[in-house]
Amino acid sequence: MLVCLLQSHPEICSHDEVFSPGKVGGMAGTYLIPWKRRAEPDFVDHLSAERDRDPIKFLYKIVLDLQGKKAVCFKLKHDELILPEYKTLRDEIVNNRDFRIIHLRRENLLRRYLSHYIANYVTHVTVATCGQVIPEVPRVELDPHECQKDFEAVRSRELEFVELFAQHPSFSISYEEMVARDAEKIRALLDFMGVSPRELTTTTRRLGCDDLRQVIVNFEELRTYFAGSPYSKFFEQA
């Protein structure tokens, strides 16, 4: 969602997960894949080969190309950055303190895990825009042990990367703050990025249901399991 919001700002070139495995996707601006593919059918293959051959050159030459904008950004996921094949890229960003780091987090990890579970095992849909049909989501049962493992892994990685980039200029924003359109937080984010303040918009639509009790069959079981733990608050926000 943050990538899409930032794409609505005329002074920002906002790329998505351009370093994810497989062929390059999620490029913005003059590298927008559908437009370039029509003009150059082999463009994606060439771009992917260049990235895989020399990811650091690809980072500075392609990804960080301002394209006439004031700021450029791209998305990296924690679960990718911990992988050995990302070490070169990770080390480059760690060692170059000119990079500004935006930490995107979820306040309610139960909602995060539910979204992950449904997208990966039920609907196989991660995003929907205006005009697209949002898939109907059946009620699901979540394993409390798997929930706990996920909560702990997410929190551990968040702390790991906050520490890893402790010497970089950084900014933290939550998904919930974006959904609520927290004007003060958005204004602070844009100031951190060095661009002018303005309202951000997106055509993406929320996929989940607000009432977790309507989606999770064993909600009460989970709430009992996590009672008294640091994660009990996620059920109070249901």
Short mmCIF file of all heavy atoms in Angstrom, two decimals, residues 82-129:
data_model
loop_
_atom_site.label_atom_id
_atom_site.label_comp_id
_atom_site.label_asym_id
_atom_site.label_seq_id
_atom_site.Cartn_x
_atom_site.Cartn_y
_atom_site.Cartn_z
N ILE A 82 17.06 -11.43 4.68
CA ILE A 82 17.81 -12.37 5.53
C ILE A 82 18.42 -13.51 4.73
O ILE A 82 19.26 -14.26 5.24
CB ILE A 82 16.91 -12.96 6.64
CG1 ILE A 82 15.76 -13.77 6.04
CG2 ILE A 82 16.40 -11.87 7.57
CD1 ILE A 82 14.92 -14.51 7.07
N LEU A 83 18.04 -13.66 3.45
CA LEU A 83 18.52 -14.77 2.63
C LEU A 83 19.95 -14.52 2.16
O LEU A 83 20.35 -13.38 1.89
CB LEU A 83 17.61 -14.96 1.41
CG LEU A 83 16.14 -15.29 1.71
CD1 LEU A 83 15.34 -15.34 0.42
CD2 LEU A 83 16.05 -16.62 2.45
N PRO A 84 20.76 -15.60 2.04
CA PRO A 84 22.17 -15.46 1.62
C PRO A 84 22.33 -14.75 0.27
O PRO A 84 23.28 -13.99 0.08
CB PRO A 84 22.65 -16.91 1.54
CG PRO A 84 21.75 -17.67 2.45
CD PRO A 84 20.42 -17.00 2.36
N GLU A 85 21.41 -14.99 -0.66
CA GLU A 85 21.54 -14.39 -1.99
C GLU A 85 21.34 -12.88 -1.98
O GLU A 85 21.62 -12.20 -2.98
CB GLU A 85 20.58 -15.05 -2.99
CG GLU A 85 19.14 -15.06 -2.58
CD GLU A 85 18.73 -16.37 -1.89
OE1 GLU A 85 19.53 -16.89 -1.09
OE2 GLU A 85 17.61 -16.84 -2.16
N TYR A 86 20.85 -12.35 -0.87
CA TYR A 86 20.66 -10.89 -0.76
C TYR A 86 21.79 -10.22 0.01
O TYR A 86 21.74 -9.01 0.25
CB TYR A 86 19.33 -10.58 -0.07
CG TYR A 86 18.13 -10.72 -0.96
CD1 TYR A 86 17.58 -11.97 -1.22
CD2 TYR A 86 17.54 -9.62 -1.57
CE1 TYR A 86 16.48 -12.11 -2.06
CE2 TYR A 86 16.44 -9.74 -2.40
CZ TYR A 86 15.92 -11.00 -2.64
OH TYR A 86 14.83 -11.14 -3.46
N LYS A 87 22.80 -11.00 0.41
CA LYS A 87 23.86 -10.44 1.26
C LYS A 87 24.58 -9.26 0.61
O LYS A 87 24.85 -8.24 1.25
CB LYS A 87 24.87 -11.53 1.62
CG LYS A 87 25.94 -11.04 2.59
CD LYS A 87 26.92 -12.14 2.95
CE LYS A 87 27.90 -11.68 4.03
NZ LYS A 87 28.63 -10.45 3.69
N THR A 88 24.90 -9.38 -0.68
CA THR A 88 25.62 -8.30 -1.37
C THR A 88 24.81 -7.01 -1.34
O THR A 88 25.34 -5.93 -1.03
CB THR A 88 25.92 -8.70 -2.83
OG1 THR A 88 26.72 -9.88 -2.83
CG2 THR A 88 26.68 -7.58 -3.54
N LEU A 89 23.54 -7.12 -1.67
CA LEU A 89 22.66 -5.95 -1.67
C LEU A 89 22.49 -5.41 -0.25
O LEU A 89 22.57 -4.18 -0.03
CB LEU A 89 21.30 -6.33 -2.26
CG LEU A 89 20.24 -5.23 -2.29
CD1 LEU A 89 20.67 -4.08 -3.20
CD2 LEU A 89 18.90 -5.80 -2.77
N ARG A 90 22.26 -6.29 0.69
CA ARG A 90 22.07 -5.88 2.08
C ARG A 90 23.31 -5.14 2.60
O ARG A 90 23.20 -4.07 3.21
CB ARG A 90 21.79 -7.10 2.95
CG ARG A 90 21.51 -6.78 4.41
CD ARG A 90 21.12 -8.03 5.18
NE ARG A 90 22.20 -9.00 5.27
CZ ARG A 90 22.16 -10.20 4.72
NH1 ARG A 90 21.11 -10.59 4.02
NH2 ARG A 90 23.18 -11.03 4.84
N ASP A 91 24.49 -5.69 2.34
CA ASP A 91 25.72 -5.07 2.81
C ASP A 91 25.94 -3.70 2.18
O ASP A 91 26.43 -2.77 2.83
CB ASP A 91 26.93 -5.98 2.51
CG ASP A 91 26.95 -7.22 3.38
OD1 ASP A 91 26.18 -7.27 4.36
OD2 ASP A 91 27.74 -8.14 3.08
N GLU A 92 25.60 -3.57 0.91
CA GLU A 92 25.76 -2.29 0.22
C GLU A 92 24.90 -1.22 0.88
O GLU A 92 25.35 -0.09 1.12
CB GLU A 92 25.38 -2.43 -1.26
CG GLU A 92 25.47 -1.15 -2.06
CD GLU A 92 26.88 -0.59 -2.14
OE1 GLU A 92 27.84 -1.39 -2.10
OE2 GLU A 92 27.03 0.65 -2.25
N ILE A 93 23.66 -1.57 1.18
CA ILE A 93 22.75 -0.59 1.80
C ILE A 93 23.19 -0.27 3.22
O ILE A 93 23.16 0.89 3.64
CB ILE A 93 21.30 -1.13 1.78
CG1 ILE A 93 20.84 -1.30 0.33
CG2 ILE A 93 20.37 -0.17 2.52
CD1 ILE A 93 19.48 -1.98 0.18
N VAL A 94 23.64 -1.28 3.95
CA VAL A 94 24.11 -1.06 5.32
C VAL A 94 25.33 -0.13 5.33
O VAL A 94 25.44 0.77 6.17
CB VAL A 94 24.47 -2.40 5.99
CG1 VAL A 94 25.24 -2.16 7.30
CG2 VAL A 94 23.22 -3.22 6.26
N ASN A 95 26.22 -0.31 4.39
CA ASN A 95 27.48 0.45 4.38
C ASN A 95 27.33 1.84 3.78
O ASN A 95 28.21 2.69 3.97
CB ASN A 95 28.56 -0.32 3.62
CG ASN A 95 28.97 -1.60 4.33
OD1 ASN A 95 28.99 -1.63 5.57
ND2 ASN A 95 29.29 -2.64 3.59
N ASN A 96 26.25 2.10 3.05
CA ASN A 96 26.03 3.41 2.46
C ASN A 96 24.97 4.14 3.28
O ASN A 96 23.78 3.93 3.12
CB ASN A 96 25.57 3.28 1.00
CG ASN A 96 25.45 4.63 0.32
OD1 ASN A 96 25.40 5.68 0.98
ND2 ASN A 96 25.37 4.62 -0.99
N ARG A 97 25.41 5.01 4.15
CA ARG A 97 24.48 5.68 5.07
C ARG A 97 23.77 6.86 4.44
O ARG A 97 23.06 7.59 5.13
CB ARG A 97 25.23 6.09 6.34
CG ARG A 97 25.69 4.86 7.12
CD ARG A 97 26.45 5.20 8.37
NE ARG A 97 26.94 3.97 9.00
CZ ARG A 97 27.78 3.96 10.04
NH1 ARG A 97 28.20 5.11 10.55
NH2 ARG A 97 28.18 2.81 10.55
N ASP A 98 23.94 7.03 3.15
CA ASP A 98 23.13 8.02 2.45
C ASP A 98 21.71 7.50 2.20
O ASP A 98 20.80 8.28 1.91
CB ASP A 98 23.76 8.39 1.10
CG ASP A 98 25.00 9.27 1.28
OD1 ASP A 98 25.10 9.96 2.31
OD2 ASP A 98 25.87 9.25 0.39
N PHE A 99 21.54 6.17 2.31
CA PHE A 99 20.20 5.60 2.15
C PHE A 99 19.34 6.01 3.34
O PHE A 99 19.77 5.95 4.49
CB PHE A 99 20.26 4.07 2.08
CG PHE A 99 20.64 3.53 0.73
CD1 PHE A 99 21.92 3.07 0.51
CD2 PHE A 99 19.72 3.49 -0.30
CE1 PHE A 99 22.28 2.57 -0.73
CE2 PHE A 99 20.07 2.99 -1.54
CZ PHE A 99 21.35 2.54 -1.77
N ARG A 100 18.10 6.41 3.04
CA ARG A 100 17.13 6.68 4.08
C ARG A 100 16.22 5.45 4.18
O ARG A 100 15.73 4.98 3.16
CB ARG A 100 16.32 7.95 3.76
CG ARG A 100 17.14 9.21 3.86
CD ARG A 100 16.36 10.44 3.42
NE ARG A 100 17.12 11.62 3.73
CZ ARG A 100 16.98 12.33 4.85
NH1 ARG A 100 16.06 11.97 5.73
NH2 ARG A 100 17.72 13.39 5.09
N ILE A 101 15.99 4.98 5.38
CA ILE A 101 15.25 3.74 5.58
C ILE A 101 13.85 4.05 6.13
O ILE A 101 13.71 4.73 7.16
CB ILE A 101 15.99 2.81 6.58
CG1 ILE A 101 17.44 2.61 6.14
CG2 ILE A 101 15.24 1.48 6.68
CD1 ILE A 101 17.62 1.96 4.79
N ILE A 102 12.84 3.53 5.46
CA ILE A 102 11.47 3.62 5.95
C ILE A 102 11.08 2.24 6.47
O ILE A 102 11.05 1.27 5.69
CB ILE A 102 10.49 4.07 4.86
CG1 ILE A 102 10.87 5.46 4.34
CG2 ILE A 102 9.06 4.08 5.40
CD1 ILE A 102 10.07 5.90 3.13
N HIS A 103 10.85 2.12 7.75
CA HIS A 103 10.42 0.86 8.35
C HIS A 103 8.90 0.80 8.31
O HIS A 103 8.22 1.59 8.99
CB HIS A 103 10.91 0.73 9.79
CG HIS A 103 12.39 0.68 9.94
ND1 HIS A 103 13.13 -0.43 9.60
CD2 HIS A 103 13.28 1.60 10.40
CE1 HIS A 103 14.42 -0.21 9.85
NE2 HIS A 103 14.53 1.02 10.32
N LEU A 104 8.36 -0.12 7.53
CA LEU A 104 6.91 -0.31 7.45
C LEU A 104 6.53 -1.51 8.32
O LEU A 104 7.10 -2.60 8.17
CB LEU A 104 6.48 -0.56 6.00
CG LEU A 104 5.01 -0.86 5.77
CD1 LEU A 104 4.13 0.29 6.26
CD2 LEU A 104 4.75 -1.11 4.29
N ARG A 105 5.60 -1.31 9.23
CA ARG A 105 5.25 -2.38 10.17
C ARG A 105 3.73 -2.51 10.30
O ARG A 105 2.99 -1.67 9.81
CB ARG A 105 5.86 -2.08 11.55
CG ARG A 105 5.47 -0.71 12.07
CD ARG A 105 6.22 -0.25 13.30
NE ARG A 105 5.95 1.14 13.59
CZ ARG A 105 4.84 1.60 14.14
NH1 ARG A 105 3.88 0.74 14.51
NH2 ARG A 105 4.64 2.88 14.36
N ARG A 106 3.32 -3.60 10.92
CA ARG A 106 1.91 -3.79 11.27
C ARG A 106 1.78 -3.71 12.78
O ARG A 106 2.55 -4.33 13.51
CB ARG A 106 1.41 -5.16 10.79
CG ARG A 106 1.22 -5.29 9.29
CD ARG A 106 0.08 -4.45 8.76
NE ARG A 106 -1.23 -4.87 9.22
CZ ARG A 106 -2.09 -5.58 8.48
NH1 ARG A 106 -1.77 -5.94 7.25
NH2 ARG A 106 -3.27 -5.91 8.97
N GLU A 107 0.80 -2.95 13.25
CA GLU A 107 0.57 -2.87 14.68
C GLU A 107 -0.12 -4.13 15.19
O GLU A 107 0.18 -4.62 16.28
CB GLU A 107 -0.29 -1.64 15.00
CG GLU A 107 0.40 -0.32 14.67
CD GLU A 107 -0.52 0.86 14.81
OE1 GLU A 107 -1.57 0.73 15.49
OE2 GLU A 107 -0.20 1.93 14.26
N ASN A 108 -1.04 -4.68 14.41
CA ASN A 108 -1.76 -5.88 14.81
C ASN A 108 -1.24 -7.07 14.00
O ASN A 108 -1.56 -7.24 12.83
CB ASN A 108 -3.27 -5.71 14.58
CG ASN A 108 -4.08 -6.83 15.20
OD1 ASN A 108 -3.72 -8.00 15.09
ND2 ASN A 108 -5.17 -6.48 15.86
N LEU A 109 -0.40 -7.89 14.64
CA LEU A 109 0.22 -9.00 13.94
C LEU A 109 -0.75 -10.14 13.65
O LEU A 109 -0.49 -10.97 12.78
CB LEU A 109 1.42 -9.53 14.73
CG LEU A 109 2.58 -8.55 14.90
CD1 LEU A 109 3.78 -9.25 15.52
CD2 LEU A 109 2.96 -7.92 13.57
N LEU A 110 -1.87 -10.19 14.35
CA LEU A 110 -2.89 -11.19 14.02
C LEU A 110 -3.49 -10.88 12.66
O LEU A 110 -3.68 -11.77 11.82
CB LEU A 110 -3.97 -11.23 15.10
CG LEU A 110 -5.16 -12.16 14.81
CD1 LEU A 110 -4.70 -13.61 14.67
CD2 LEU A 110 -6.23 -12.02 15.90
N ARG A 111 -3.81 -9.62 12.44
CA ARG A 111 -4.35 -9.22 11.13
C ARG A 111 -3.31 -9.45 10.03
O ARG A 111 -3.65 -9.85 8.92
CB ARG A 111 -4.78 -7.76 11.17
CG ARG A 111 -6.02 -7.50 12.01
CD ARG A 111 -6.48 -6.05 11.90
NE ARG A 111 -7.66 -5.80 12.73
CZ ARG A 111 -8.91 -6.06 12.35
NH1 ARG A 111 -9.14 -6.55 11.14
NH2 ARG A 111 -9.92 -5.81 13.16
N ARG A 112 -2.04 -9.20 10.34
CA ARG A 112 -0.99 -9.42 9.35
C ARG A 112 -0.90 -10.91 8.99
O ARG A 112 -0.83 -11.27 7.81
CB ARG A 112 0.36 -8.95 9.91
CG ARG A 112 1.48 -8.87 8.85
CD ARG A 112 2.83 -9.27 9.39
NE ARG A 112 2.91 -10.71 9.60
CZ ARG A 112 3.23 -11.58 8.65
NH1 ARG A 112 3.49 -11.19 7.43
NH2 ARG A 112 3.27 -12.89 8.92
N TYR A 113 -0.92 -11.77 10.01
CA TYR A 113 -0.82 -13.21 9.75
C TYR A 113 -2.05 -13.72 9.02
O TYR A 113 -1.94 -14.54 8.10
CB TYR A 113 -0.64 -13.98 11.07
CG TYR A 113 -0.53 -15.47 10.85
CD1 TYR A 113 0.58 -16.02 10.20
CD2 TYR A 113 -1.53 -16.34 11.26
CE1 TYR A 113 0.69 -17.37 9.97
CE2 TYR A 113 -1.43 -17.70 11.05
CZ TYR A 113 -0.32 -18.22 10.39
OH TYR A 113 -0.22 -19.56 10.16
N LEU A 114 -3.23 -13.22 9.39
CA LEU A 114 -4.45 -13.64 8.71
C LEU A 114 -4.39 -13.26 7.23
O LEU A 114 -4.73 -14.07 6.36
CB LEU A 114 -5.67 -12.99 9.37
CG LEU A 114 -7.03 -13.26 8.70
CD1 LEU A 114 -7.37 -14.75 8.77
CD2 LEU A 114 -8.12 -12.42 9.36
N SER A 115 -3.96 -12.04 6.91
CA SER A 115 -3.83 -11.61 5.53
C SER A 115 -2.86 -12.49 4.77
O SER A 115 -3.11 -12.90 3.63
CB SER A 115 -3.36 -10.15 5.47
OG SER A 115 -4.31 -9.29 6.04
N HIS A 116 -1.73 -12.78 5.42
CA HIS A 116 -0.71 -13.66 4.81
C HIS A 116 -1.28 -15.05 4.54
O HIS A 116 -1.09 -15.61 3.46
CB HIS A 116 0.50 -13.74 5.74
CG HIS A 116 1.46 -14.82 5.40
ND1 HIS A 116 2.42 -14.69 4.43
CD2 HIS A 116 1.60 -16.10 5.90
CE1 HIS A 116 3.12 -15.82 4.34
NE2 HIS A 116 2.64 -16.68 5.21
N TYR A 117 -1.98 -15.60 5.52
CA TYR A 117 -2.54 -16.95 5.40
C TYR A 117 -3.56 -17.01 4.27
O TYR A 117 -3.52 -17.91 3.43
CB TYR A 117 -3.18 -17.35 6.73
CG TYR A 117 -3.74 -18.75 6.74
CD1 TYR A 117 -2.95 -19.82 7.14
CD2 TYR A 117 -5.06 -19.01 6.36
CE1 TYR A 117 -3.45 -21.12 7.14
CE2 TYR A 117 -5.56 -20.30 6.35
CZ TYR A 117 -4.76 -21.35 6.74
OH TYR A 117 -5.26 -22.62 6.73
N ILE A 118 -4.47 -16.05 4.23
CA ILE A 118 -5.52 -16.05 3.21
C ILE A 118 -4.94 -15.86 1.81
O ILE A 118 -5.33 -16.55 0.86
CB ILE A 118 -6.56 -14.96 3.53
CG1 ILE A 118 -7.38 -15.37 4.75
CG2 ILE A 118 -7.49 -14.73 2.33
CD1 ILE A 118 -8.33 -14.30 5.25
N ALA A 119 -3.98 -14.94 1.69
CA ALA A 119 -3.37 -14.68 0.37
C ALA A 119 -2.60 -15.88 -0.14
O ALA A 119 -2.61 -16.18 -1.34
CB ALA A 119 -2.46 -13.47 0.45
N ASN A 120 -1.93 -16.60 0.76
CA ASN A 120 -1.08 -17.71 0.34
C ASN A 120 -1.80 -19.06 0.24
O ASN A 120 -1.40 -19.90 -0.57
CB ASN A 120 0.11 -17.84 1.30
CG ASN A 120 1.17 -16.79 1.05
OD1 ASN A 120 2.05 -16.96 0.22
ND2 ASN A 120 1.09 -15.69 1.78
N TYR A 121 -2.84 -19.26 1.05
CA TYR A 121 -3.46 -20.58 1.10
C TYR A 121 -4.93 -20.60 0.70
O TYR A 121 -5.50 -21.68 0.54
CB TYR A 121 -3.32 -21.16 2.51
CG TYR A 121 -1.90 -21.25 2.97
CD1 TYR A 121 -1.41 -20.43 3.98
CD2 TYR A 121 -1.01 -22.16 2.39
CE1 TYR A 121 -0.09 -20.49 4.40
CE2 TYR A 121 0.31 -22.24 2.80
CZ TYR A 121 0.77 -21.41 3.80
OH TYR A 121 2.08 -21.47 4.20
N VAL A 122 -5.55 -19.44 0.53
CA VAL A 122 -6.97 -19.42 0.22
C VAL A 122 -7.26 -18.73 -1.11
O VAL A 122 -7.64 -19.39 -2.08
CB VAL A 122 -7.78 -18.74 1.36
CG1 VAL A 122 -9.28 -18.79 1.04
CG2 VAL A 122 -7.51 -19.42 2.70
N THR A 123 -7.07 -17.44 -1.19
CA THR A 123 -7.45 -16.70 -2.40
C THR A 123 -6.32 -16.56 -3.42
O THR A 123 -6.57 -16.39 -4.60
CB THR A 123 -7.93 -15.28 -2.03
OG1 THR A 123 -6.82 -14.55 -1.46
CG2 THR A 123 -9.07 -15.33 -1.04
N HIS A 124 -5.08 -16.60 -2.93
CA HIS A 124 -3.89 -16.37 -3.78
C HIS A 124 -3.94 -14.98 -4.43
O HIS A 124 -3.38 -14.77 -5.50
CB HIS A 124 -3.75 -17.45 -4.85
CG HIS A 124 -3.72 -18.84 -4.27
ND1 HIS A 124 -2.64 -19.33 -3.57
CD2 HIS A 124 -4.68 -19.82 -4.25
CE1 HIS A 124 -2.91 -20.57 -3.16
NE2 HIS A 124 -4.14 -20.88 -3.55
N VAL A 125 -4.60 -14.04 -3.76
CA VAL A 125 -4.68 -12.66 -4.23
C VAL A 125 -4.06 -11.77 -3.15
O VAL A 125 -4.43 -11.85 -1.98
CB VAL A 125 -6.15 -12.22 -4.47
CG1 VAL A 125 -6.22 -10.74 -4.82
CG2 VAL A 125 -6.76 -13.06 -5.57
N THR A 126 -3.09 -10.93 -3.55
CA THR A 126 -2.42 -10.07 -2.58
C THR A 126 -2.85 -8.61 -2.67
O THR A 126 -2.69 -7.85 -1.72
CB THR A 126 -0.89 -10.13 -2.78
OG1 THR A 126 -0.57 -9.74 -4.12
CG2 THR A 126 -0.37 -11.54 -2.51
N VAL A 127 -3.40 -8.20 -3.81
CA VAL A 127 -3.81 -6.81 -3.96
C VAL A 127 -4.95 -6.72 -4.97
O VAL A 127 -5.04 -7.53 -5.90
CB VAL A 127 -2.61 -5.93 -4.43
CG1 VAL A 127 -2.15 -6.31 -5.82
CG2 VAL A 127 -2.97 -4.44 -4.37
N ALA A 128 -5.82 -5.76 -4.75
CA ALA A 128 -6.93 -5.50 -5.69
C ALA A 128 -7.09 -4.00 -5.83
O ALA A 128 -6.92 -3.25 -4.86
CB ALA A 128 -8.22 -6.12 -5.18
N THR A 129 -7.36 -3.55 -7.05
CA THR A 129 -7.56 -2.13 -7.29
C THR A 129 -9.02 -1.87 -7.63
O THR A 129 -9.80 -2.80 -7.86
CB THR A 129 -6.67 -1.64 -8.44
OG1 THR A 129 -6.97 -2.40 -9.62
CG2 THR A 129 -5.21 -1.82 -8.10
#
